Amino acid sequence: MITSPPPNHHILNDPSLRSTWKHRAWLACGCTTVLISLAKAIMGAAKSHIWLGPILAGLVGYILADLMSGVYHWVIDNYGSASTPIFGDQIDAFQGHHEQPWAITRRQFANNLDALARAVTFTVLPMDLAVNDPIFHAFVAVWSGCLLFSQQFHAWAHTTKSRLPPLVIALQDMGLLVSRSQHAGHHIPPYNNNYCIVSRVWNEFLDKRQIFQALEMILFYRLGVRPRSWSEPSSNGTEAS
Ligand SMILES: [Zn+2]
Ligand SMILES: [Zn+2]
């Protein structure tokens, strides 16, 4: 008897979700620049025996990375198109994510992080070469590391618990990483909140005060550009089955 393939069969064979050696090379470059920054922070702190400043700077980096992940996600979700220079692929991928949110769990590791790894390489490499301050590098290492891996945190927020490593579940349960229940709100109407995808600590602040909606109004009245969230996108569920 011929049985029909599972609904996501085509996704499993989609070459656009596979990692290429180019994706892996950029991921290696991004991780190397972050690790150099981290090494500079640790070596500088060990040499000066001053740890409090770098630790606090790392915490600030972790908190700010969540805010930046939200701002970036909001911009990519709402403005530009697949033909936009530099960001076109990301905009297209995030649009696809709203149509098939669970597909992110089928995207291979380096494929998912490639664009952010490139951005981190170009941003952090000059800092690695030009600065030696351990407090500065503690901030940069944690901030850029969280941003680089934010798409992985996002993928985990779409994955069923049975498929997640226990450490990831523990971090989500402790509120240190965005969880499935916290991110689910981003994929239901009105599709204009819960943009932050690192720790999601900024989501409540930004959504209660309607910061992004206020920015959308300003952009609309000043430049006449309508955000995509004003016309509801379609969605086929938020997590992997
Ligand atoms: Zn989105
Ligand atoms: Zn999502």
Side-chain angles (χ1 to χ4, degrees):
M1 193 179 79
I2 298 168
T3 54
S4 53
N8 56 4
H9 178 78
H10 65 287
I11 284 290
L12 295 172
N13 295 314
D14 186 343
S16 72
L17 301 179
R18 295 208 193 109
S19 295
T20 63
W21 286 106
K22 201 174 155 198
H23 295 146
R24 293 184 187 107
W26 275 117
L27 181 58
C29 288
C31 288
T32 304
T33 55
V34 172
L35 286 174
I36 291 171
S37 182
L38 186 64
K40 283 195 161 191
I42 293 171
M43 287 192 305
K47 207 173 166 189
S48 62
H49 302 289
I50 298 169
W51 291 91
L52 185 63
I55 289 170
L56 289 176
L59 279 173
V60 173
Y62 167 69
I63 303 287
L64 276 186
D66 188 57
L67 176 63
M68 278 198 68
S69 77
V71 172
Y72 180 71
H73 187 172
W74 167 72
V75 173
I76 292 284
D77 270 10
N78 288 288
Y79 300 102
S81 68
S83 55
T84 300
I86 301 171
F87 299 100
D89 286 349
Q90 280 274 285
I91 294 168
D92 197 35
F94 271 72
Q95 282 314 293
H97 175 60
H98 290 139
E99 284 155 24
Q100 296 181 316
W102 39 266
I104 193 174
T105 66
R106 305 290 194 261
R107 196 175 275 278
Q108 290 187 338
F109 185 64
N111 180 306
N112 198 24
L113 303 186
D114 160 67
L116 289 165
R118 264 185 280 176
V120 163
T121 302
F122 289 122
T123 311
V124 178
L125 186 60
M127 298 174 185
D128 285 343
L129 297 172
V131 186
N132 288 318
D133 183 69
I135 295 177
F136 175 82
H137 275 295
F139 168 80
V140 169
V142 177
W143 169 76
S144 61
C146 286
L147 281 174
L148 201 168
F149 285 95
S150 62
Q151 268 297 75
Q152 183 58 46
F153 305 152
H154 183 194
W156 285 332
H158 283 280
T159 308
T160 46
K161 267 192 175 178
S162 60
R163 285 180 172 198
L164 287 175
L167 178 64
V168 173
I169 297 174
L171 292 172
Q172 288 181 343
D173 288 348
M174 283 190 280
L176 295 174
L177 290 183
V178 60
S179 73
R180 289 177 307 151
S181 56
Q182 288 151 355
H183 181 64
H186 182 68
H187 291 282
I188 54 173
Y191 304 106
N192 66 354
N193 52 46
N194 289 285
Y195 284 105
C196 301
I197 51 173
V198 175
S199 59
R200 62 78 209 155
V201 289
W202 284 91
N203 279 338
E204 201 181 333
F205 174 86
L206 294 167
D207 294 340
K208 263 193 181 163
R209 286 160 186 78
Q210 302 195 314
I211 305 285
F212 289 128
Q213 285 89 330
L215 291 172
E216 286 164 6
M217 293 299 277
I218 293 170
L219 287 173
F220 179 66
Y221 285 113
R222 285 284 162 91
L223 305 171
V225 218
R226 287 174 70 89
R228 262 187 295 273
S229 62
W230 288 4
S231 17
E232 279 190 7
S234 60
S235 174
N236 297 322
T238 63
E239 65 181 40
S241 52

